[in-house]
Amino acid sequence: MKTNINLFWVLLVFFVVLDVIYISWAIIDTGQVEWVGAVAIGLCGILSAFIAFYLRLVYRNQGGELPEDRLDADIDDGDAEQGFFPPWSWWPIILAGGASLVFLGLAIDFWIVGYAAVIALIGLVGWVYEYYRGNFGR
């Protein structure tokens, strides 16, 4: 991340120098400033400064180097809990079928959407409340 921040500060300096050269060359060649190119190159420099500033804020707020930014990090260093997904649940399949029928209904004919929305709603409610009934009820 530090390399990216430094890269964008270098790009800012590059675009400022390039803008000065561009304006000077236009004045030498035509005697007046060519505003479109001068403003465009200057805005590229400002954009580079914005990106460098944003990356510096992100780096400071995340508390330094993340494991995925280090070259000596292992795969296990950055793995976080992604959630709990039961392998035996059929509710996601019902929900996906209902959602696909909703989009099919939007593409073909609108009357299918009503029935498909009911199927999708049943799948969603079943998946959310899966652990609140039967053997897994608390």
Side-chain angles (χ1 to χ4, degrees), residues 91-111:
W91 292 111
I93 297 171
I94 296 169
L95 180 60
S100 64
L101 285 175
V102 166
F103 286 109
L104 179 72
L106 290 175
I108 294 177
D109 200 3
F110 196 70
W111 67 269

Side-chain angles (χ1 to χ4, degrees), residues 17-126:
V17 170
L18 184 66
D19 202 19
V20 169
I21 292 171
Y22 186 82
I23 292 171
S24 302
W25 193 336
I27 290 174
I28 291 170
D29 187 37
T30 62
Q32 59 185 0
V33 177
E34 197 278 312
W35 288 106
V36 175
V39 170
I41 296 172
L43 288 176
C44 287
I46 292 172
L47 180 63
S48 298
F50 283 161
I51 294 172
F53 179 72
Y54 172 75
L55 289 176
R56 187 175 61 84
L57 284 178
V58 168
Y59 180 76
R60 190 179 67 203
N61 289 335
Q62 74 186 4
E65 294 287 328
L66 293 177
E68 54 264 20
D69 294 330
R70 294 191 340 247
L71 295 175
D72 61 340
D74 292 329
I75 293 175
D76 295 346
D77 293 341
D79 59 351
E81 181 67 31
Q82 299 295 323
F84 175 71
F85 302 101
W88 58 83
S89 179
W90 289 88
W91 292 111
I93 297 171
I94 296 169
L95 180 60
S100 64
L101 285 175
V102 166
F103 286 109
L104 179 72
L106 290 175
I108 294 177
D109 200 3
F110 196 70
W111 67 269
I112 300 174
V113 173
Y115 297 111
V118 171
I119 294 171
L121 187 64
I122 289 170
L124 180 66
V125 169

